[in-house]
Amino acid sequence: MGTHEEQGVARQGFDVADAAPLLLDAQGLVTGWTRDAHRLLAYAASDAVGRNVAELLDAEDAGRVPELMERCHREGGWAGLLTALHKDGSLVRVMVRIMSALDTQGSSRWLVLLSELADAPGWDMSRAVLEQMVARSPVGIAIVDTDLRFVWSNAALAQFGGGPPTLRLGLRLADIQPGLDAESIEAQMRRVLATGEPIVGYEHIGHVRSAPLRETAHMMSFTRLDDGQGHPMGVYYTVEDITDRHRARQRLALLDRAGQRIGRTLDITRTAQELADVAVPGLADLVTVDLLESVLRGGEPPAGPLGDADPVSLRRAGQRSVTERAPEAVVDIGAEVAYPAGSPPIRCLRTAESWRAERLDPLGEAWSEHARGGQAAIFLELGLHSVMIVPIRARGVTLGVTTFFRRHRQEPFEQDDLNLAEDLVSRAAVCVDNARRYTRERDAALVLQRSLLPHRLPEQNALEVSACYRPADELTGLGGDWYDIIPLSGARVALVVGEVPGHGIDAAAAMGRLRTAVRTLAALDLPPEEVLAHLDDLVAQLAREEGVEAAGEEAAMTQSVGSGCVYVVYDPVDGQCTMAAAGHPAPAVVLPDGTATFVDLPQGPPLGAGGPPFESTELVLAAGSTLALHTDGLLAQGYDWAVGTDRDRLRQALERRAASLDLHCRTVIDALVPDRPHDDVALLMARTRLLGAEQVADWDLPADPAGVADARKTAARQLAEWGLEELVFTTELVVSELVTNAIRYAAGPIRLRLIRERALICEVFDGGATAPHLRHPRTTDEGGRGLLLVSQLTQRWGTRFVPEGKIIWAEQPLTDPPS
């Protein structure tokens, strides 16, 4: 072949993995035949071994064999093109590479590699291409005998460690690569020797002498070499460096794990910990995540990088180490992290740029200002030798920094590692920011909830009260159910439980509006059915003003239309209980003997829906009875609170004994409501008390102005019996003005009642239907100052209407209220 042809062949590639190897002795006789040679020329080992290689070539090339063998002895090998004879008589154009293969006894042997040309253009023009096949190939090639000792290897194998081919002869893999996991590789060779089946694509991960500080990956293929009788002579194997491919797979796997494991919750610290967990040990031996204090509180950090004047207050939100309990972390999770000004973490935080150091100064002090054992920790003590710091940024805002350390793994961080860390942190940063935003919104929702539901139940003596609330919206903890306890005049108490359709912050806002309206109406001392009537009008009016159709599905979900409410007024003087309901389940009553029943309460329409007028029911409760007001979510079967099965379950839960009312309330909720209910649940339980006869005194008075003096004296004597002499003067004035007002402007019987409870209550009943009004008389007026005096001398006063007339009342605080 000419020079031009050889250059043309040199430009072609040669796949060593597809080459068919065979062995020749010094005279050119075939001494080793492989399965690949059988595949290429179809001769069995018994047919080929022992024959001269010239017999396997066509006549023209067979005549060149003596010359080629002489050239091999003189030059140490030969490469070129030959035409081989297939067993079926056809001609096969092959590339040939003949190389010296000295055995351990020093005998001359030749390794021949055959590769079919398959009519590739240009191969017929060169003989030098096969000579370059082994010398320039990045694939390492070697042959070991049955004792796994090297008998031949190419120069490319030296790049994987172990020295040049001449130093390998007669040695085993463990002898030339002490740090390599030779046992696993030799196990593959023994398997091939035993079975004859080749192993292709075996991956070995480890460290080699050529790169002792860097984990490398190699792909190896093993093929058995047989002699003429089919007995194994050794193993032919190839080695290819796939470290870059292996590291790319590792990075993709790490990012995939990050996508699956980071951000599974909306908890900031848990998300930070998930970031640290994912990166160890795949990327680093120690990872710490430090977030700004404002971020942990859900606050909005300043946009863009921090300036030099901006305060930096960091807290450890997460960390993970390959070492148990992470002794090298210095700072515990949840603790404040104080980095000196100008330290790499602070610089990264301020500049919003990553930083990497392949080698840390072993004697350099760790950046944290916390001390260990009275002395500042140094990197040598902590065992840390390489570091990367990546700022946590999302949506243009810096949230904190993530620091990656190497400790046990000796290879330093490279640029590819930093790229991976930045990708990992950027994904986690979005999750951290989402958690921060959620924390802010949830805190705002919780503030709203605390402002809408009672912080604590008001103090009063008429009832012992306990309440439980379990929302369906587990994220915000808010729903449309509410309860309230409202002290009324005359020592009475109003109990309210209501429900707005829907969940979340919209329902909570609508609930707050209704609760405020109920409290305003309760201050008017109206009967329950009138309170609901006014509330119904208010809801319908708001719906009209907002352009919402009362019957529309969307309105029912976002507005107050369709809400339910039950309103109960209890009087501890006589145990009288009056209640009315608007589209809401009737209360249950647990009698003092523990028996539970349900009140037969007429059901009015839901608020704002329109319908017949509301009706009330009256009943008398003995002391020690328990009222149970609840929303329909308490009944597990759903919204039909008339279903007998649901009521039976509620009755059974209510009849269970409990050590306290609070415990009883929680027991009922736990028995009927799952941890994540499909509907909001509110339960208000109130155990009744009665005022003793010694706490109430009343008198019928004549409609005669002369009786006012007697009324004052009677009230003074009663206060003396109660030990309230300090209130006699003001009480006489209040009684005088109220009784005089009743005699002057009202008709029918007049009755005076004094109640000693948390306050001293003075009530005057008359049969009139008009309410008195507070006047502001001028200096020259001769009258009109009565109610003005009452308002100035008492804590509060007012008027409430009863079926027979009205009651004007006034309250004075007691310095030492009775227990």
Side-chain angles (χ1 to χ4, degrees):
M1 298 177 66
T3 303
H4 177 73
E5 293 175 331
E6 292 178 354
Q7 291 175 350
V9 174
R11 288 193 294 266
Q12 307 297 322
F14 184 79
D15 191 348
V16 177
D18 292 335
L22 56 95
L23 291 176
L24 304 178
D25 64 6
Q27 287 73 37
L29 298 178
V30 177
T31 59
W33 192 258
T34 65
R35 291 176 182 270
D36 291 329
H38 176 267
R39 172 183 55 79
L40 181 62
L41 300 179
Y43 294 103
S46 58
D47 297 331
V49 175
R51 298 174 62 179
N52 193 290
V53 69
E55 300 177 32
L56 303 179
L57 303 175
D58 73 342
E60 181 180 352
D61 286 340
R64 298 173 55 195
V65 169
E67 176 191 352
L68 295 178
M69 296 305 298
E70 181 181 353
R71 183 174 176 181
C72 287
H73 285 291
R74 183 176 65 254
E75 300 179 3
W78 176 86
L81 300 174
L82 295 175
T83 302
L85 286 176
H86 195 274
K87 187 176 181 181
D88 61 7
S90 62
L91 300 178
V92 180
R93 195 68 168 156
V94 292
M95 296 181 294
V96 181
R97 172 62 173 165
I98 304 176
M99 297 166 287
S100 175
L102 297 176
D103 60 21
T104 54
Q105 285 76 32
S107 302
S108 296
R109 302 175 67 187
W110 302 97
L111 171 67
V112 181
L113 298 177
L114 307 177
S115 182
E116 188 174 3
L117 289 176
D119 298 327
W123 286 109
D124 290 335
M125 298 182 293
S126 174
R127 298 174 57 184
V129 66
L130 292 181
E131 297 178 355
Q132 305 172 43
M133 179 185 65
V134 175
R136 297 186 180 182
S137 172
V139 178
I141 307 171
I143 297 177
V144 296
D145 60 18
T146 54
D147 293 328
L148 307 184
R149 298 182 180 277
F150 282 93
V151 296
W152 176 87
S153 63
N154 70 341
L157 192 65
Q159 66 180 303
F160 305 106
T166 55
L167 297 181
R168 294 174 180 268
L169 293 178
L171 300 178
R172 293 178 57 171
L173 195 59
D175 300 328
I176 61 173
Q177 294 274 50
L180 194 68
D181 183 14
E183 184 176 346
S184 63
I185 297 176
E186 290 185 346
Q188 305 301 316
M189 297 180 183
R190 292 190 181 94
R191 176 182 169 187
V192 171
L193 285 172
T195 65
E197 295 293 330
I199 295 177
V200 179
Y202 171 75
E203 291 190 14
H204 178 266
I205 313 298
H207 293 80
V208 296
R209 278 189 173 181
S210 58
L213 299 182
R214 186 172 185 263
E215 185 180 69
T216 56
H218 301 106
M219 179 176 290
M220 309 179 72
S221 296
F222 305 89
T223 304
R224 191 176 76 180
L225 297 174
D226 296 335
D227 61 13
Q229 288 73 40
H231 298 144
M233 298 174 54
V235 175
Y236 159 80
Y237 74 88
T238 61
V239 185
E240 182 180 357
D241 190 342
I242 59 167
T243 300
D244 292 340
R245 191 190 317 169
H246 170 70
R247 291 170 68 87
R249 285 203 309 263
Q250 284 185 316
R251 293 187 179 96
L252 290 176
L254 183 61
L255 293 175
D256 182 61
R257 288 198 304 273
Q260 295 177 1
R261 297 175 56 184
I262 299 178
R264 293 176 294 179
T265 69
L266 288 172
D267 181 88
I268 296 179
T269 55
R270 184 168 179 180
T271 303
Q273 184 60 47
E274 288 168 348
L275 168 59
D277 292 342
V278 165
V280 175
L283 179 60
D285 297 326
L286 169 67
V287 174
T288 63
V289 182
D290 302 322
L291 297 178
L292 293 170
E293 287 271 13
S294 58
V295 172
L296 290 171
R297 294 193 301 268
E300 191 74 34
L306 296 174
D308 293 338
D310 294 330
V312 178
S313 180
L314 293 169
R315 192 167 294 274
R316 180 64 46 84
Q319 63 186 22
R320 173 67 66 184
S321 170
V322 294
T323 307
E324 187 178 359
R325 298 180 180 178
E328 69 276 25
V330 179
V331 179
D332 295 327
I333 294 178
E336 182 181 358
V337 184
Y339 291 115
S343 62
I346 298 299
R347 288 203 307 270
C348 291
L349 197 65
R350 295 193 186 281
T351 63
E353 296 181 356
S354 302
W355 179 78
R356 173 175 63 95
E358 292 188 2
R359 289 296 170 190
L360 288 167
D361 180 4
L363 301 181
E365 292 186 2
W367 303 308
S368 176
E369 292 183 347
H370 294 267
R372 169 174 291 179
Q375 295 182 349
I378 60 174
F379 290 119
L380 179 62
E381 176 191 351
L382 301 178
L384 307 174
H385 64 84
S386 188
V387 66
M388 299 184 297
I389 304 177
V390 180
I392 304 172
R393 287 181 56 79
R395 302 178 179 96
V397 174
T398 303
L399 309 174
V401 291
T402 303
T403 308
F404 303 81
F405 289 101
R406 286 269 169 89
R407 185 185 186 196
H408 299 289
R409 198 171 352 181
Q410 293 304 309
E411 60 265 33
F413 287 118
E414 301 175 351
Q415 183 60 42
D416 287 344
D417 295 318
L418 182 59
N419 296 338
L420 175 60
E422 289 177 336
D423 197 357
L424 185 66
V425 172
S426 67
R427 296 187 181 202
V430 175
C431 298
V432 171
D433 193 50
N434 289 339
R436 177 191 65 82
R437 290 168 176 254
Y438 164 72
T439 299
R440 181 184 60 192
E441 299 299 330
R442 185 175 188 274
D443 288 346
L446 291 178
V447 169
L448 175 62
Q449 180 189 39
R450 287 193 292 268
S451 66
L452 296 178
L453 293 177
H455 289 235
R456 58 179 182 178
L457 302 179
E459 296 180 356
Q460 43 79 38
N461 292 339
L463 298 164
E464 178 189 356
V465 183
S466 179
C468 288
Y469 178 73
R470 185 169 294 178
D473 191 336
E474 61 173 330
L475 290 181
T476 64
L478 286 173
D481 293 10
W482 91 92
Y483 59 87
D484 211 345
I485 298 95
I486 308 172
L488 302 176
S489 64
R492 298 170 307 130
V493 175
L495 303 174
V496 190
V497 168
E499 179 175 12
V500 173
H503 313 293
I505 198 166
D506 292 335
M511 173 266 285
R513 184 162 53 181
L514 280 183
R515 179 172 178 259
T516 301
V518 169
R519 277 189 159 266
T520 302
L521 293 170
L524 301 177
D525 258 331
L526 300 174
E529 67 275 12
E530 292 188 27
V531 170
L532 294 184
H534 285 292
L535 194 62
D536 179 68
D537 292 340
L538 176 63
V539 170
Q541 179 182 353
L542 289 174
R544 288 192 298 270
E545 291 176 355
E546 296 172 3
V548 178
E549 290 292 337
E553 181 179 355
E554 182 179 354
M557 294 300 294
T558 58
Q559 303 295 326
S560 302
V561 174
S563 300
C565 182
V566 61
Y567 188 89
V568 179
V569 175
Y570 174 71
D571 191 341
V573 175
D574 54 8
Q576 187 80 15
C577 188
T578 308
M579 62 186 70
H584 201 84
V589 177
V590 182
L591 302 177
D593 63 1
T595 304
T597 61
F598 292 91
V599 179
D600 186 11
L601 179 63
Q603 279 299 318
L607 298 175
F614 299 99
E615 300 180 39
S616 63
T617 294
E618 295 183 359
L619 64 156
V620 177
L621 297 177
S625 301
T626 302
L627 276 167
L629 287 69
H630 62 88
T631 55
D632 53 24
L634 185 65
L635 305 176
Q637 293 283 339
Y639 301 96
D640 187 0
W641 25 264
V643 176
T645 304
D646 294 340
R647 282 196 163 187
D648 288 341
R649 295 178 66 243
L650 177 55
R651 180 185 291 109
Q652 294 172 7
L654 290 171
E655 290 179 348
R656 295 173 185 167
R657 298 286 184 176
S660 66
L661 189 63
D662 287 339
L663 182 59
H664 196 184
C665 190
R666 290 195 299 270
T667 301
V668 172
I669 289 285
D670 292 338
L672 300 179
V673 182
D675 292 337
R676 296 182 178 179
H678 69 276
D679 193 12
D680 306 318
V681 178
L683 174 63
L684 178 64
M685 299 185 71
R687 184 170 295 158
T688 61
R689 298 170 178 149
L690 287 176
L691 298 181
E694 71 282 359
Q695 294 180 265
V696 182
D698 59 354
W699 305 270
D700 291 324
L701 302 177
D704 183 356
V708 175
D710 292 336
R712 288 199 301 265
K713 294 176 184 178
T714 301
R717 284 195 299 268
Q718 185 62 57
L719 263 60
E721 291 181 13
W722 284 344
L724 301 176
E725 290 84 355
E726 68 276 8
L727 298 180
V728 169
F729 176 72
T730 56
T731 303
E732 286 183 333
L733 285 176
V734 170
V735 169
S736 177
E737 293 299 332
L738 296 186
V739 173
T740 299
N741 233 22
I743 294 173
R744 179 177 299 176
Y745 300 107
I750 300 174
R751 189 166 56 251
L752 170 65
R753 183 167 74 170
L754 296 178
I755 302 173
R756 179 174 62 91
E757 199 233 12
R758 302 185 68 86
L760 177 64
I761 304 169
C762 178
E763 296 181 340
V764 175
F765 165 82
D766 63 61
T770 59
H773 298 285
L774 184 65
R775 295 167 56 189
H776 297 277
R778 292 170 300 193
T779 307
T780 57
D781 290 343
E782 296 182 359
R785 295 178 174 83
L787 289 181
L788 181 60
L789 286 174
V790 171
S791 68
Q792 296 297 316
L793 296 174
T794 60
Q795 180 174 284
R796 60 178 187 149
W797 74 279
T799 303
R800 72 174 182 271
F801 290 91
V802 293
E804 301 84 8
K806 69 176 183 295
I807 296 174
I808 304 177
W809 55 270
E811 290 184 3
Q812 301 177 70
L814 298 178
T815 54
D816 296 316
S819 60

